[in-house]
């Protein structure tokens, strides 16, 4: 497993994390994978607490089920081991960037963004299944007023150029 990024400076993609819904989603992904990697139930509890505080109990329960479904789908169909940064990092690794794009695309009707992100996370033949699984997480966020901002065009340009680089990310597998 790669080491975590220990720096706390912001990368341009990390600026996207200034939004509360974006931070909620990326923290959920990070803590969930860390919980799986370390077999640490406290990581799942942190996801629950953060979502309950942001969404209330009912929507949080749906969000947790959706997150579980999305990560399970990723685990089944990912092109390579799922990567993530240390919680509280102000950086985004490639997979986190793609997860945020996937959810943002679902929230904002940016089908092209969702498809490109899903296709980079898995093979194109399984992208629609991943979009469906991510939608199960995205729906309770949106219902609770926590929609992610539209994916910035500058970030989409990076995705189009496939210039996404992973540095300092841990991986699950």
């Amino acid at each position: 497993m790669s080491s975590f990024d220990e720096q706390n400076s912001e990368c341009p993609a990390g600026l996207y994390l200034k939004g509360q819904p974006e931070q909620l989603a990326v923290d959920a992904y990070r803590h969930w994978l860390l919980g799986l990697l370390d077999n640490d139930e406290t990581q799942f509890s942190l996801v629950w607490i953060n979502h309950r505080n942001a969404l209330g109990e009912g929507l949080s329960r749906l969000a947790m089920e959706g997150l579980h479904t999305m990560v399970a789908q990723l685990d089944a169909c990912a092109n390579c081991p799922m990567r993530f940064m240390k919680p509280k990092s102000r950086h985004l690794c490639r997979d986190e960037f793609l997860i945020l794009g996937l959810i943002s695309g679902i929230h904002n009707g940016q089908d092209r963004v969702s498809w490109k992100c899903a296709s980079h996370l898995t093979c194109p033949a399984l992208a629609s299944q991943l979009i469906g699984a991510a939608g199960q997480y995205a729906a309770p966020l949106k219902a609770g007023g926590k929609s992610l901002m539209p994916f910035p065009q500058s970030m989409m340009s990076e995705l189009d150029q496939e210039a996404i680089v992973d540095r300092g990310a841990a991986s699950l597998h």
Side-chain angles (χ1 to χ4, degrees):
M1 174 171 58
S2 303
S3 63
F4 285 113
D5 174 20
E6 297 297 335
Q7 299 175 5
N8 203 22
S9 59
E10 281 188 331
C11 66
L15 297 174
Y16 190 66
L17 296 177
K18 292 204 182 280
Q20 196 251 347
E22 293 76 17
Q23 190 67 57
L24 181 67
V26 81
D27 282 348
Y29 178 78
R30 288 172 175 174
H31 285 289
W32 199 271
L33 292 185
L34 189 57
L36 292 173
L37 184 67
D38 291 347
N39 198 25
D40 180 0
E41 292 286 325
T42 61
Q43 299 300 320
F44 305 120
S45 295
L46 289 171
V47 175
W48 168 252
I49 291 166
N50 290 340
H51 281 71
R52 189 187 64 213
N53 290 341
L55 302 171
E57 190 148 339
L59 288 175
S60 294
R61 195 168 312 284
L62 292 173
M64 295 286 286
E65 290 171 10
L67 182 62
H68 171 77
T69 300
M70 181 178 73
V71 170
Q73 182 65 37
L74 276 168
D75 191 36
C77 70
N79 286 330
C80 56
M82 296 180 291
R83 291 180 180 84
F84 62 102
M85 300 296 285
K86 187 175 186 176
K88 297 187 183 182
S89 173
R90 297 302 303 164
H91 296 277
L92 289 174
C93 72
R94 175 189 180 272
D95 289 0
E96 293 168 343
F97 172 87
L98 294 169
I99 292 291
L100 287 174
L102 176 59
I103 296 167
S104 172
I106 293 168
H107 280 172
N108 295 289
Q110 295 174 303
D111 295 339
R112 181 174 167 264
V113 171
S114 295
W115 182 259
K116 278 197 147 295
C117 290
S119 295
H120 281 280
L121 286 162
T122 188
C123 68
L126 297 175
S128 61
Q129 290 177 8
L130 180 56
I131 291 168
Q136 292 180 39
Y137 176 66
L141 292 180
K142 188 169 187 172
K146 302 299 178 195
S147 291
L148 276 67
M149 295 180 287
F151 212 56
Q153 186 57 45
S154 61
M155 291 174 79
M156 192 63 201
S157 296
E158 285 188 44
L159 184 57
D160 285 338
Q161 296 169 17
E162 298 189 41
I164 307 166
V165 178
D166 262 339
R167 287 180 277 242
S171 26
L172 182 66
H173 285 321

